[in-house]
Amino acid sequence: FSTDTSSGVIVGVDVSNHGSDAEEFLPMLNQLQARYDQTPAEGLVDGGFATKETIDAAAKQGCVVYAPVKDEKKQQAAGKNPFEKKRGDTPTVTAWRERMGTAAAKLVYKLRAQTAEWVNAFARNRGFYTMPVRGLEKCRTIAVLYAVTHNLLQGAKLRAEADMS
């Protein structure tokens, strides 16, 4: 799921049978571009989505990536600065490393817990632990139905909050 941080509405859905999330960020950006005719200005993704290649490709589409630097604490414990340029880093990856070393970027990244993780936790609280069907198309259908249900409930909550203000 891709979630709008300001509303909590699911804006993108897909499923895959890949063993890693590393290849999923760009297809989601492409889905959002196709659906909304614009790429999000920022992408808050977990470390599994953030490879050097995806950070570069997202930047080419106009999306600034906020993702944790791999092994940040381990590098710091070894006396290394995880936020400085590494050999082989492109200028975009260097900028990402430097950005993620700032308090401002860490604050922005915290929004991910309030949106993406919140949506996933809600799914589990609603009993959506595993797919009840087999096959990517059937799983995608279930995921879309879940997203529609989530968005209807979230929309009702947002309308109620707006009415109270």
Side-chain angles (χ1 to χ4, degrees):
F1 299 120
S2 179
T3 312
D4 175 64
T5 56
S6 63
S7 67
V9 170
I10 297 172
V11 294
V13 178
D14 206 358
V15 296
S16 79
N17 57 5
H18 298 131
S20 148
D21 293 333
E23 303 299 320
E24 306 307 320
F25 184 47
L26 293 178
M28 184 57 72
L29 280 182
N30 293 336
Q31 182 187 132
L32 297 174
Q33 171 63 38
R35 179 170 288 137
Y36 302 104
D37 202 28
Q38 63 183 14
T39 300
E42 299 174 331
L44 285 61
V45 298
D46 73 19
F49 287 90
T51 65
K52 292 178 182 182
E53 295 77 22
T54 58
I55 291 167
D56 282 333
K60 286 179 184 167
Q61 293 185 31
C63 181
V64 175
V65 175
Y66 289 84
V69 173
K70 186 176 181 186
D71 298 326
E72 175 184 336
K73 289 182 180 13
K74 191 177 187 182
Q75 290 184 56
Q76 288 172 332
K80 297 178 182 175
N81 180 356
F83 307 112
E84 68 184 10
K85 179 178 174 38
K86 307 283 189 237
R87 188 176 29 169
D89 281 356
T90 63
T92 304
V93 171
T94 300
W96 161 73
R97 285 188 196 282
E98 291 172 357
R99 176 174 51 255
M100 293 313 299
T102 67
K106 290 179 189 300
L107 192 61
V108 168
Y109 188 71
K110 281 185 179 182
L111 292 173
R112 188 178 170 284
Q114 299 168 13
T115 53
E117 294 304 327
W118 171 76
V119 166
N120 291 327
F122 245 8
R124 284 175 182 77
N125 289 342
R126 292 172 176 154
F128 191 30
Y129 290 95
T130 59
M131 284 292 177
V133 296
R134 291 184 182 205
L136 286 177
E137 289 305 313
K138 290 178 185 176
C139 289
R140 190 172 291 112
T141 299
I142 296 296
V144 167
L145 288 172
Y146 173 79
V148 169
T149 302
H150 169 86
N151 287 349
L152 287 170
L153 293 169
Q154 186 64 10
K157 177 184 171 209
L158 292 169
R159 281 189 296 281
E161 289 172 357
D163 289 346
M164 291 174 68
S165 356

